[in-house]
Amino acid sequence: MNRLLHRILPTLLVYGLLMLGTALALAPLLWMLVASLMPPGEATGYPPRLWPSTVTFEHYVALFSRLDLGRYLLNSTLLASAVTVISLFVNSMAGYAFAKFRFRYRDRLFRTLLAAMVIPAQVAMLPLFLLLKQFGLINTYWGVIIPGMASIFGIFLIRQYLLAIPDSLLDAARMDGAGEFRIYWALVLPLCRPILVTLAIFTFMGTWNDFMWPLIVLTDSAMYTLPVALANLLGEHVQDTELMMAGSVLTVLPVLLLFVALQKHYIAGIMLGGMKG
């Protein structure tokens, strides 16, 4: 009995810690959902409530009546989708080049790119803003899309995954007469599907949740993304915590559904691509 207890105790301890960590991670999300269903003023009352006295959907109705929420949802969806599609194309081509082509200074250039990952994104915001201003892209959707068209992390992820694909497979396609772009499009991309899905989730979530850059570039309120529009809502309704929680639920819900739908491919991509190299 003692030996059995000694064997299962570490397992129970690990599962207990995992369940505790899961509960701590989910607690803010659950409270956000519960607070969005509370009557006005109840979320900030004392003592704090963990469940609404009366479940109400008035804050969700208010969001659609006070804000042009459909417009902001459409803006966020279009921008996040455009950045995701374009960045997948650019990052996959760059990762393919770094993994399978031999050219001068290839490794040195790749190491330089990796070193640049430690530079905070905020450092590049002012030069990037001035550059886009020179091209007349401020207050345009392209001003949000262009900076997200490629990322060092995406190139790194694709390159590490492609290193596992044997060169002989690509050489066989070349011997059959396939051109380089056809090899990339018809052979490499299908093989990269798990890591592409993983990168797509990262990119879509990052663009959808991005607040700072759209706030800097977009000045027309009709072009705001959902996080920027909700930040303005906070300025107008400082005490309306329940309304803000309802807006946060609507912001999180699309990316959460996307993650759940693609979870299988996401985990496969992390397991196959993230650990190689």
Side-chain angles (χ1 to χ4, degrees):
M1 184 65 183
N2 289 336
R3 180 178 298 179
L4 179 62
L5 185 62
H6 183 72
R7 288 174 55 187
I8 65 173
L9 190 59
T11 303
L12 292 176
L13 183 61
V14 169
Y15 277 100
L17 290 174
L18 289 175
M19 292 176 65
L20 178 62
T22 303
L24 291 175
L26 291 178
L29 292 175
L30 292 176
W31 188 85
M32 178 180 69
L33 177 62
V34 170
S36 71
L37 302 175
M38 291 180 177
E42 196 168 76
T44 53
Y46 187 83
R49 297 187 64 89
L50 298 179
W51 190 256
S53 59
T54 304
V55 175
T56 176
F57 293 93
E58 64 177 281
H59 307 297
Y60 293 95
V61 176
L63 279 175
F64 281 94
S65 60
R66 294 182 190 178
L67 289 176
D68 191 1
L69 205 61
R71 174 74 182 183
Y72 300 134
L73 278 169
L74 180 64
N75 289 343
S76 290
T77 303
L78 288 177
L79 287 174
S81 301
V83 170
T84 301
V85 172
I86 296 174
S87 70
L88 284 181
F89 181 68
V90 175
N91 289 332
S92 61
M93 291 192 74
Y96 176 49
F98 276 115
K100 295 301 178 184
F101 286 102
R102 303 280 187 271
F103 53 89
R104 197 175 185 184
Y105 303 128
R106 182 191 67 170
D107 295 337
R108 188 178 299 178
L109 179 60
F110 186 69
R111 286 195 295 269
T112 304
L113 282 177
L114 292 183
M117 290 180 70
V118 302
I119 300 175
Q122 291 79 3
V123 174
M125 282 187 175
L126 180 57
L128 187 58
F129 177 82
L130 296 175
L131 183 63
L132 292 177
K133 186 179 179 182
Q134 290 293 325
F135 287 102
L137 295 175
I138 299 301
N139 197 32
T140 65
Y141 289 134
W142 284 110
V144 180
I145 294 173
I146 288 177
M149 288 173 59
S151 69
I152 301 173
F153 174 73
I155 295 171
F156 170 77
L157 206 62
I158 298 290
R159 175 189 178 270
Q160 297 305 100
Y161 188 86
L162 286 177
L163 287 176
I165 296 178
D167 293 340
S168 57
L169 186 63
L170 307 180
D171 293 336
R174 293 188 182 101
M175 292 179 66
D176 288 339
E180 292 299 334
F181 186 78
R182 185 178 178 187
I183 293 173
Y184 158 78
W185 188 261
L187 183 61
V188 173
L189 283 187
L191 291 174
C192 292
R193 183 180 300 173
I195 202 67
L196 288 176
V197 173
T198 303
L199 183 58
I201 294 175
F202 276 127
T203 307
F204 189 90
M205 292 174 64
T207 308
W208 182 278
N209 294 324
D210 189 16
F211 167 74
M212 184 63 70
W213 185 246
L215 178 66
I216 293 173
V217 173
L218 302 176
T219 57
D220 186 355
S221 61
M223 302 176 69
Y224 282 171
T225 58
L226 199 53
V228 178
L230 289 175
N232 285 344
L233 181 68
L234 177 63
E236 296 175 4
H237 308 278
V238 178
Q239 300 298 325
D240 208 337
T241 304
E242 296 79 11
L243 186 67
M244 288 304 303
M245 292 301 104
S248 301
V249 170
L250 291 180
T251 305
V252 170
L253 193 59
V255 289
L256 190 62
L257 293 176
L258 177 69
F259 177 79
V260 172
L262 300 177
Q263 184 182 20
K264 177 182 176 183
H265 301 283
Y266 170 79
I267 294 175
I270 289 292
M271 295 299 293
L272 292 174
M275 302 300 178
K276 293 176 181 177

